[in-house]
């Protein structure tokens, strides 16, 4: 099963002149995004190993319980200032829609070969593999002004997610089932403040995170033969997962609480200072979209055929290789090479307001960490 990406790199970099020191990127969030994208790649690399190892399956289930919620919460946090200004709408097109069209087409053509399905159609309405997150983030950001103005936004988003699990008829169009079921995490991010991140990064939380993750792994190990991991994908209704409809209504808030606890533990371990990996957090969109080709080809190319790969040492090797590959794909060199595809300017497409000739070049406060976000890194 595939999960994606990180918050789009094209959406969280300055959209104009270099920001002032108080507006520079927050190392904490870049470190968090890099750590999360490594978990995404490792999770995909573990997929072919699950059938032969209950331990790998438990680790896979544990990672999938929190890595996407973490990405989405951070995406919501960086969308707090989104109010559909012209430069923000432009960035939605260049940073999400254009990469979606390019990679939806590319993955379709690539998997025609790797999956031996030469007639697989190119459909922009049915996201393939990793591309669903780009569509979901587009929808969430467009609806941000609404979620910032309604009362009891988080409970309302949870109700929407619970109702989505009742209906298998939502279908695959734009992968709305996922967009609706993951919605509460995005809405939560919209209402978070720097002090919330300071709270989870206290020493007491870091210490508590150790037994919490250990306990979660034990629970996951117990659940492997008893529960389908499909609940953590949030792509299907309860009926499609072989459960009564009311299961979805119950599982949605239960999984939400469990995932939040794991996200808090995960973030508690993320360093707030600049490190060697901090710059890689600005390229997570690249790592996310590109590593899928490696993951798809690894199965087609027989990389998992040797028997030793399915032993403990092989699982360790697969983990290290996956982490290394996605790390390389997040580097500035790769960003420079593919910036025209994943972060195009497309000035020719947009009109300039004659009364505000520099509007599209103004920094987007939705995408640049503000003073509050920088303060969160000092905790």
């Amino acid at each position: 099963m595939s999960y994606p990406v990180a918050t789009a790199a094209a959406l969280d970099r300055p959209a104009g002149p270099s920001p002032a020191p108080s507006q520079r990127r927050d190392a904490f969030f870049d470190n968090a995004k890099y750590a999360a994208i490594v978990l995404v790649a490792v999770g995909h690399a573990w997929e072919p190993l699950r059938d032969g190892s209950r331990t790998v399956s438990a680790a896979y289930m544990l990672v999938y319980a929190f890595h996407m919620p973490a990405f989405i919460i951070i995406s919501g946090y960086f969308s707090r200032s989104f109010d559909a200004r012209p430069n923000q709408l432009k960035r939605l097109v260049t940073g999400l829609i254009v990469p979606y069209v390019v990679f939806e087409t590319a993955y379709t053509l690539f998997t025609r070969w790797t999956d031996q399905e030469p007639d697989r159609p190119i459909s922009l309405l049915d996201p393939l593999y990793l591309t669903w997150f780009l569509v979901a983030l587009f929808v969430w950001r467009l609806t941000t002004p609404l979620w910032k103005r309604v009362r009891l936004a988080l409970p309302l988003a949870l109700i929407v997610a619970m109702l989505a699990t009742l209906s298998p008829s939502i279908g695959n169009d734009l992968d709305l089932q996922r967009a609706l079921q993951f919605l509460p995490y995005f809405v939560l991010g919209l209402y978070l403040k720097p002090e919330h991140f300071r709270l989870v990064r206290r020493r007491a939380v870091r210490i508590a995170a150790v037994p919490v993750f250990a306990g979660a792994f034990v629970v996951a190990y117990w659940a492997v033969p008893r529960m389908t991991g499909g609940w953590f994908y949030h792509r299907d209704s309860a009926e499609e997962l072989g459960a009564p409809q009311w299961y979805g209504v119950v599982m949605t808030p239960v999984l939400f609480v469990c995932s939040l606890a794991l996200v808090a533990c995960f973030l508690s371990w993320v360093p707030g200072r600049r490190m060697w990996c901090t710059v890689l957090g600005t390229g997570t969109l690249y790592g996310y979209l590109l590593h899928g080709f490696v993951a798809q080809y690894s199965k087609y190319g027989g990389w998992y055929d040797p028997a030793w790969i399915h032993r403990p040492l092989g699982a360790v090797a697969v983990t290290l290789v996956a982490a290394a590959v996605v790390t390389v794909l997040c580097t500035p060199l790769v960003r420079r090479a593919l910036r025209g595809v994943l972060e195009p300017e497309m000035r020719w497409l947009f009109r300039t307001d004659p009364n505000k000739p520099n509007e599209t070049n103004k920094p987007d406060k939705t995408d640049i960490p503000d003073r509050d976000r920088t303060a969160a890194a000092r905790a």
Side-chain angles (χ1 to χ4, degrees):
M1 180 56 228
S2 47
Y3 266 135
V5 71
T7 46
L11 291 178
D12 59 3
R13 66 179 177 85
S18 298
S22 63
Q23 292 181 313
R24 287 175 184 162
R25 299 185 66 100
D26 188 329
F28 167 72
F29 291 105
D30 284 334
N31 292 338
K33 289 193 296 177
Y34 169 71
I37 197 61
V38 168
L39 291 177
V40 169
V42 168
H44 289 156
W46 283 346
E47 286 183 17
L49 304 178
R50 288 183 295 160
D51 290 341
S53 173
R54 186 172 175 178
T55 300
V56 172
S57 297
Y60 177 90
M61 184 180 292
L62 174 61
V63 166
Y64 270 68
F66 73 89
H67 75 353
M68 269 317 304
F71 270 129
I72 297 169
I73 288 171
I74 293 175
S75 298
Y77 180 74
F78 277 87
S79 299
R80 295 177 301 161
S81 300
F82 187 89
D83 54 9
R85 294 192 303 274
N87 60 323
Q88 293 175 332
L89 294 176
K90 173 189 173 183
R91 295 287 288 281
L92 284 182
V93 174
T94 60
L96 290 178
I97 297 302
V98 172
Y100 171 70
V101 172
V102 170
F103 279 86
E104 177 69 15
T105 302
Y107 271 119
T108 300
L109 297 177
F110 190 73
T111 56
R112 282 180 179 178
W113 171 50
T114 58
D115 292 348
Q116 300 295 295
E117 294 187 25
D119 297 326
R120 173 171 285 169
I122 298 175
S123 173
L124 298 181
L125 295 179
D126 186 7
L128 178 66
Y129 197 37
L130 304 173
T131 58
W132 72 267
F133 185 73
L134 300 178
V135 176
L137 186 55
F138 178 80
V139 172
W140 295 330
R141 281 218 160 171
L142 276 185
T143 59
T144 289
L146 171 65
W147 292 110
K148 292 190 327 186
R149 286 165 176 78
V150 298
R151 296 179 185 274
L152 302 175
L154 184 56
L156 181 59
L158 274 170
I159 291 173
V160 170
M162 289 188 287
L163 292 177
T165 67
L166 298 176
S167 177
S169 62
I170 291 178
N172 296 323
D173 290 349
L174 299 180
D175 227 335
L176 286 179
Q177 187 69 259
R178 275 176 170 162
L180 295 177
Q181 290 194 35
F182 274 119
L183 176 63
Y185 300 98
F186 182 83
V187 173
L188 173 64
L190 290 175
Y191 285 90
L192 289 180
K193 297 180 180 179
E195 51 264 34
H196 296 125
F197 292 97
R198 288 196 292 269
L199 181 64
V200 301
R201 295 170 61 202
R202 295 168 59 185
R203 185 170 182 270
V205 180
R206 293 191 184 105
I207 295 174
V210 176
V212 169
F213 267 120
F217 178 80
V218 171
V219 172
Y221 191 87
W222 171 87
V224 165
R226 299 173 174 85
M227 172 185 172
T228 174
W231 287 105
F232 297 104
Y233 301 152
H234 296 285
R235 67 175 180 177
D236 300 305
S237 66
E239 182 178 325
E240 290 171 312
L241 292 173
Q245 285 188 330
W246 65 267
Y247 269 43
V249 176
V250 174
M251 288 292 287
T252 298
V254 169
L255 292 179
F256 182 73
V257 172
C258 293
S259 294
L260 286 188
L262 293 173
V263 169
C265 292
F266 165 71
L267 293 177
S268 74
W269 290 345
V270 174
R273 65 185 184 279
R274 289 194 62 82
M275 303 174 62
W276 65 270
C277 62
T278 302
V279 67
L280 301 176
T282 66
T284 49
L285 176 65
Y286 294 76
Y288 173 68
L289 290 174
L290 294 173
H291 89 275
F293 293 106
V294 180
Q296 288 289 315
Y297 182 78
S298 66
K299 302 168 189 175
Y300 173 80
W303 294 3
Y304 291 90
D305 291 347
W308 72 271
I309 289 289
H310 297 268
R311 299 184 184 127
L313 183 60
V316 172
V318 166
T319 301
L320 295 176
V321 169
V325 167
V326 78
T327 296
V328 170
L329 295 177
C330 291
T331 57
L333 179 63
V334 174
R335 289 191 67 184
R336 286 194 294 270
L338 297 178
R339 188 182 299 276
V341 176
L342 279 84
E343 303 177 77
E345 291 290 339
M346 301 185 69
R347 296 178 184 274
W348 55 268
L349 183 62
F350 302 95
R351 293 186 300 176
T352 301
D353 187 337
N355 297 320
K356 299 179 180 179
N358 296 320
E359 175 68 27
T360 58
N361 291 325
K362 290 183 179 179
D364 185 351
K365 292 182 180 179
T366 302
D367 307 323
I368 302 174
D370 56 24
R371 293 178 184 270
D372 288 343
R373 293 171 188 156
T374 302
R378 301 193 190 108

